[in-house]
Amino acid sequence: MHVLVVDDHQELRALVTQALERDGHLVRQAADVEQARQAVIEEPDVIVLDVGLPDGSGLSLCRELRRDGIHIPILILTAHNRVNERVEGLDAGADDFLGKPFAIAELRARVRALGRRREKTSTVRVDLGDVVLDFGKREALRSGQAVPVTPREWAILETLASRGERVVSRDTLLESIWGEATTGAASSLEVLIGRIRRKLGDDVVITLRGEGYRLGSN
């Protein structure tokens, strides 16, 4: 897997690079926003992106990539881990977060989880009544109108779609998307499912109490 590591601290970049290379990944480094833009041309599978960079914000770069239609999974590194900052990052299009200081083993696990999610990306089109989900194009339509869907929301929908009409347990969903079934991840999942329902309709994601979730049917 090809991983792009973007951080202005040389020692941290070297440490992360060494750990990911031990896992067999090809790692490219960037120290600022401009270098990251150039490296993205090589289409990495996962981006590890620091928020504070010398020539701009990692969150601004994340928004820019999403506006340009680039859906590479992004793991944000941040010195702060408050709820409002995580929400801002999700709105910017980030897929996951890791607060500094962090354990290298956890970063490796989160990168692996994002890589697995990218591998599962499908070209399947799903019709749910007046809602159309095209996973290849990353396009969602409701009554013929385009609806903006964030990368993390797509990840939820893709995981559910991959199971067809079968129920996906909450823990399976959390481990597939966040890499772990923690209380914080569970809270984020509830928030994102609420957003999906507001955007696409209450019946797009069905909750089966005590069992999990599945996509709605036609």
Side-chain angles (χ1 to χ4, degrees):
M1 186 165 63
H2 177 188
V3 183
L4 171 61
V5 176
V6 186
D7 197 293
D8 61 328
H9 291 90
Q10 184 176 358
E11 291 183 1
L12 180 61
R13 287 201 316 274
L15 179 64
V16 170
T17 296
Q18 184 179 41
L20 294 177
E21 287 180 340
R22 282 202 303 268
D23 285 343
H25 304 309
L26 172 66
V27 183
R28 169 81 181 271
Q29 298 183 33
D32 55 36
V33 171
E34 186 54 38
Q35 288 182 15
R37 287 195 185 104
Q38 296 301 316
V40 167
I41 296 173
E42 298 179 6
E43 299 184 357
D45 297 298
V46 174
I47 300 174
V48 178
L49 177 61
D50 189 30
V51 170
L53 296 168
D55 58 344
S57 164
L59 292 183
S60 296
L61 176 60
C62 187
R63 291 190 189 93
E64 176 185 320
L65 295 177
R66 298 317 188 212
R67 282 197 304 269
D68 291 345
I70 297 171
H71 300 296
I72 299 166
I74 296 176
L75 170 62
I76 292 287
L77 301 181
T78 175
H80 307 288
N81 202 25
R82 293 189 290 269
V83 172
N84 64 319
E85 291 171 334
R86 293 201 301 271
V87 170
E88 182 183 4
L90 288 171
D91 287 340
D95 295 271
D96 200 359
F97 293 86
L98 192 56
K100 294 180 177 180
F102 53 81
I104 286 293
E106 182 176 6
L107 180 139
R108 291 165 60 197
R110 289 176 182 265
V111 167
R112 288 196 298 270
L114 290 175
R116 287 194 299 270
R117 186 190 314 167
R118 184 167 175 84
E119 289 170 1
K120 289 192 301 184
T121 299
S122 165
T123 58
V124 171
R125 169 182 162 132
V126 176
D127 293 276
L128 303 169
D130 67 342
V131 172
V132 176
L133 303 174
D134 189 320
F135 294 103
K137 296 179 180 177
R138 284 287 181 107
E139 181 179 71
L141 302 175
R142 185 180 186 184
S143 298
Q145 300 296 313
V147 177
V149 176
T150 68
R152 187 63 69 93
E153 291 164 356
W154 274 119
I156 293 170
L157 293 168
E158 286 172 349
T159 302
L160 296 177
S162 71
R163 301 299 181 92
E165 295 185 359
R166 289 176 294 169
V167 177
V168 181
S169 72
R170 187 179 71 164
D171 283 355
T172 297
L173 201 54
L174 293 172
E175 290 170 2
S176 174
I177 297 172
W178 279 268
E180 55 184 350
T182 63
T183 301
S187 297
S188 297
L189 175 63
E190 293 299 322
V191 169
L192 291 170
I193 286 179
R195 288 186 183 179
I196 290 170
R197 287 171 172 155
R198 286 194 295 274
K199 293 177 179 181
L200 300 174
D202 291 339
D203 296 332
V204 167
V205 177
I206 305 297
T207 301
L208 291 92
R209 296 202 176 279
E211 297 183 55
Y213 306 91
R214 66 170 175 81
L215 282 187
S217 55
N218 292 338

